[in-house]
Amino acid sequence: MAGGRCGPQLTALLAAWVAAVAATAGPEQAALPAEQSRVQPMTASNWTLVMEGEWMLKFYAPWCPSCQQTDSEWETFAKNGEMLQISVGKVDVIQEPGLSGRFFVTTLPAFFHAKDGIFRRYRGPGIFEDLQNYILEKKWQSVEPLTGWKSPASLTMSGMAGLFSISGKIWHLHNYFTVTLGIPAWCSYVFFVIATLVFGLFMGLVLVVISECFYVPLPRHLSERSEQNGRSEEAHRAEQLQDAEEEKDDSNEEENKDSLVDDEEEKEDLGDEDEAEEEEEEDNLAAGVDEERSEANDQGPPGEDSVTREEVEPEEAEEGISEKPCPADTEVVEDSLRQRKSQHADKGL
């Protein structure tokens, strides 16, 4: 009986001892620190650290599946950062929208390499081996750097960072209205529209006040003088334009007159040439008629005594009639002369 009673007591004592040991060991294990991450979070306040030394940055979002797949590879790469003599950082675009705008991040995850303030975009798979070779083999030297206005340290990208930060704050405010307070989304949109209009009107009023403060109006007499001077200048310009137009008209008229005079002179010259040609033709015709008459007179025999005078006279009369030019021939000649004159006149016109 005694042995049967001791068994349950021993088991109860052993259970109590195990519970006590577990209770004492639990706080000690909880007190042990978890493995510290070598990846340094970057914010808008400490991002200038990447301007010195060599860095690799990763832009991610907690909801991004591709970003979650590369988390372990990025941690492994950060653990070997001391061996590679490189610092490793990460940027949460949800918490730091200004930095995402400064680097103009449009896809996630996004990786950047920085060497003494010169930034380059890494477009590899993001695994440890590729990242290690990218640093050891200095593959980043073959990548075009982000210079000029594209550089994150430029004034342009600083303005872009401000715009992205404002948009992030508006997004957080919208979530506060719709999620925390339970306001409908359309009410939030109406609020932002009204706020935008009010802000625009306020900024316009501020600009008007600033312009009124810095703008010094001219005295009345000076303004009147300036107006008079402006009017006189306009009148003078109008007079100059009128004079120029009149001169153009006069020059055009003179040119027209000169052209008309030249045409008339050319017509007169052509008429004189035609008259000279007609005179020459008439002289030629007259000379031809005289030659024909002389030849006809020379054809008669000079010494025939047996022929009586009566017989000779009819023959001479017949020869005279034959020697005279026919009126039909003269009319043809006159018609040809008239036609030539008309043709020359047409050419002159």
Side-chain angles (χ1 to χ4, degrees):
M1 296 291 294
R5 291 178 181 176
C6 290
Q9 291 178 357
L10 289 173
T11 55
L13 289 173
L14 288 173
W17 180 75
V18 170
V21 171
T24 56
E28 291 179 357
Q29 290 179 355
L32 291 175
E35 187 178 0
Q36 186 177 3
S37 176
R38 299 295 181 89
V39 181
Q40 185 174 355
M42 307 303 294
T43 61
S45 59
N46 66 348
W47 81 272
T48 53
L49 294 174
V50 301
M51 301 295 292
E52 298 178 358
E54 191 172 6
W55 284 77
M56 284 293 291
L57 295 178
K58 174 187 175 182
F59 288 80
Y60 72 99
W63 49 263
C64 177
S66 300
C67 301
Q68 295 172 4
Q69 291 176 0
T70 58
D71 285 344
S72 60
E73 299 287 340
W74 196 251
E75 290 290 341
T76 305
F77 178 65
K79 290 177 183 178
N80 293 274
E82 294 181 0
M83 181 186 68
L84 299 173
Q85 296 180 357
I86 190 171
S87 302
V88 181
K90 62 180 180 179
V91 179
D92 186 356
V93 297
I94 302 300
Q95 300 297 328
E96 299 295 334
L99 284 180
S100 65
R102 184 179 292 276
F103 285 81
F104 202 70
V105 176
T106 57
T107 58
L108 294 175
F111 303 94
F112 287 89
H113 173 269
K115 178 69 174 178
D116 297 329
I118 299 175
F119 297 89
R120 293 175 173 85
R121 182 75 178 266
Y122 168 76
R123 299 183 182 277
I127 60 177
F128 170 70
E129 294 179 357
D130 190 74
L131 291 168
Q132 187 176 6
N133 294 330
Y134 186 79
I135 300 301
L136 292 176
E137 297 176 6
K138 294 183 179 181
K139 294 181 180 180
W140 50 268
Q141 292 180 352
S142 62
V143 180
E144 185 179 359
L146 301 175
T147 57
W149 66 271
K150 296 180 181 179
S151 176
S154 65
L155 183 62
T156 306
M157 287 299 152
S158 298
M160 188 70 70
L163 292 176
F164 272 64
S165 61
I166 292 172
S167 65
K169 291 178 181 178
I170 292 173
W171 183 76
H172 286 299
L173 186 60
H174 175 70
N175 287 337
Y176 175 75
F177 287 157
T178 56
V179 177
T180 304
L181 299 180
I183 298 174
W186 67 270
C187 294
S188 177
Y189 295 149
V190 170
F191 170 77
F192 284 115
V193 169
I194 294 172
T196 303
L197 293 175
V198 172
F199 181 75
L201 293 173
F202 176 75
M203 291 301 297
L205 180 62
V206 170
L207 291 175
V208 170
V209 171
I210 291 172
S211 63
E212 289 293 333
C213 292
F214 287 97
Y215 174 73
V216 179
L218 294 173
R220 186 172 182 181
H221 62 281
L222 293 177
S223 63
E224 291 178 354
R225 288 181 181 177
S226 62
E227 290 179 357
Q228 291 178 357
N229 292 330
R231 292 175 182 174
S232 61
E233 289 179 357
E234 290 179 357
H236 183 65
R237 291 176 182 174
E239 290 178 357
Q240 288 180 350
L241 291 173
Q242 290 180 356
D243 295 337
E245 291 178 356
E246 290 177 356
E247 289 177 357
K248 289 181 180 179
D249 295 336
D250 295 336
S251 63
N252 292 328
E253 289 179 358
E254 290 178 357
E255 291 178 356
N256 293 329
K257 289 179 181 179
D258 294 336
S259 62
L260 291 173
V261 171
D262 295 336
D263 293 337
E264 290 178 356
E265 290 178 355
E266 289 178 357
K267 290 179 180 178
E268 291 178 356
D269 295 335
L270 292 172
D272 294 337
E273 292 177 357
D274 295 337
E275 290 178 357
E277 291 177 356
E278 290 175 358
E279 290 177 357
E280 289 179 358
E281 291 178 354
E282 290 177 355
D283 294 336
N284 292 328
L285 291 172
V289 171
D290 294 335
E291 288 178 359
E292 290 177 356
R293 288 179 180 178
S294 62
E295 289 177 356
N297 293 325
D298 293 336
Q299 287 177 359
E304 291 182 354
D305 295 332
S306 61
V307 181
T308 58
R309 189 173 183 179
E310 293 179 356
E311 293 177 354
V312 171
E313 288 179 356
E315 291 179 356
E316 289 178 355
E318 290 177 358
E319 290 178 356
I321 292 168
S322 61
E323 288 177 0
K324 289 181 181 180
C326 297
D329 296 335
T330 57
E331 288 179 358
V332 171
V333 172
E334 289 178 356
D335 292 336
S336 63
L337 291 175
R338 289 174 183 174
Q339 290 178 356
R340 289 180 182 179
K341 286 181 181 181
S342 63
Q343 289 177 359
H344 290 298
D346 294 335
K347 291 181 180 179
L349 293 174

